[in-house]
Every structure is written in C-alpha cells, then in structure tokens.
C-alpha cells in the first residue's frame, strides 16, 4: 500500500511515475496453467514480480486468447513476463511429453495386439 511504501522511504509519486502497463495475449487453453489451482501460480507470480496482473474475462474475441494486463515498474514487469513465459514453456513441454508418451503407449498396444494374433 502507499502508506507502507511511504514508511519504507519509497516515494509513492516517483513509484507511480515509473509504472508501466503491458498487455499480453495468452491462449485460452493455457490460462489454467498460469492461474494454477485456486489461483496459486498467478498469486506467486504477482508476489515475486511485484507487478499487478489482471486477467480479462472470457470474451468471444477472435483467436480465443485472454488478455493479461501487467502493471508495475519496468523491472517488475520484466520479472512477471519472464515467469509467465516460463510457465507457458513448461506447460508446452509437459503437453509434448504427454503426447509422446501416449504415442508410445499406442504403438506398444498395437504391437501387443498384432503379436496376440
């Protein structure tokens, strides 16, 4: 809050002057991995980055993306973006690994069926 920042010797006016707003679009099917269970991941990203992050409600926008608005100092926003993109990359890798595993299991299953006949 502003009063806590003032007590710590941080000039709230200077902080507000240095505040930036950035927006990024996240595919709807990836929003859950960013938010996490009960909002745990997005809360952690907010806490660790120092940025305020808001997520637009679901709209019928073209492309099926959700708009994330990030507000904070340039440094805070950079940390937030780094964590958001890192979470997206981790989810992408997890999904690729699951797809590879499923393909391998299907191949093994097909081989077992062929061997049984």
């Amino acid at each position: 809050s502003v009063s806590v920042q003032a007590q710590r010797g941080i000039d709230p006016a200077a902080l507000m002057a240095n505040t930036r707003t950035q927006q990024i679009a996240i595919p709807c099917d990836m929003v859950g991995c960013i938010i996490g269970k009960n909002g745990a991941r997005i809360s952690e990203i907010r806490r660790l980055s120092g940025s305020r992050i808001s997520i637009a409600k679901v709209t019928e926008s073209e492309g099926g993306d959700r708009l994330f608005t990030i507000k904070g100092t340039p440094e805070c926003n950079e940390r937030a973006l780094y964590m958001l993109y890192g979470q997206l990359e981790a989810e992408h890798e997890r999904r690729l690994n699951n797809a590879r595993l499923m393909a391998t299991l299907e191949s093994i299953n097909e081989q077992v069926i062929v061997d049984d006949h």
Side-chain angles (χ1 to χ4, degrees):
S1 75
V2 173
S3 61
V4 171
Q5 292 167 346
Q7 290 172 3
R8 292 182 183 164
I10 300 169
D11 179 9
L15 191 60
M16 290 303 291
N18 199 25
T19 298
R20 303 287 185 269
T21 300
Q22 294 176 261
Q23 293 185 317
I24 60 169
I26 304 285
C28 282
D29 70 328
M30 299 292 271
V31 171
C33 80
I34 299 288
I35 294 173
K37 188 172 186 175
N38 295 320
R41 282 211 176 98
I42 193 67
S43 293
E44 180 180 34
I45 292 170
R46 286 173 177 139
R47 183 179 60 80
L48 294 175
S49 72
S51 289
R52 291 184 12 231
I53 303 169
S54 60
I55 306 164
K57 301 284 184 211
V58 178
T59 63
E60 295 179 18
S61 66
E62 197 171 320
D65 291 341
R66 298 270 298 274
L67 199 60
F68 280 54
T69 302
I70 304 163
K71 292 182 181 182
T73 65
E75 297 80 14
C76 290
N77 289 358
E78 187 176 324
R79 278 194 300 273
L81 287 169
Y82 179 80
M83 288 186 267
L84 289 167
Y85 285 124
Q87 191 60 41
L88 289 172
E89 182 61 30
E91 178 65 12
H92 181 69
E93 285 297 317
R94 187 189 71 76
R95 290 180 185 191
L96 282 176
N97 288 335
N98 283 347
R100 287 185 197 116
L101 178 61
M102 290 304 296
T104 300
L105 291 174
E106 287 174 13
S107 176
I108 291 170
N109 192 31
E110 289 171 4
Q111 188 62 41
V112 168
I113 291 171
V114 168
D115 289 345
D116 284 348
H117 289 116

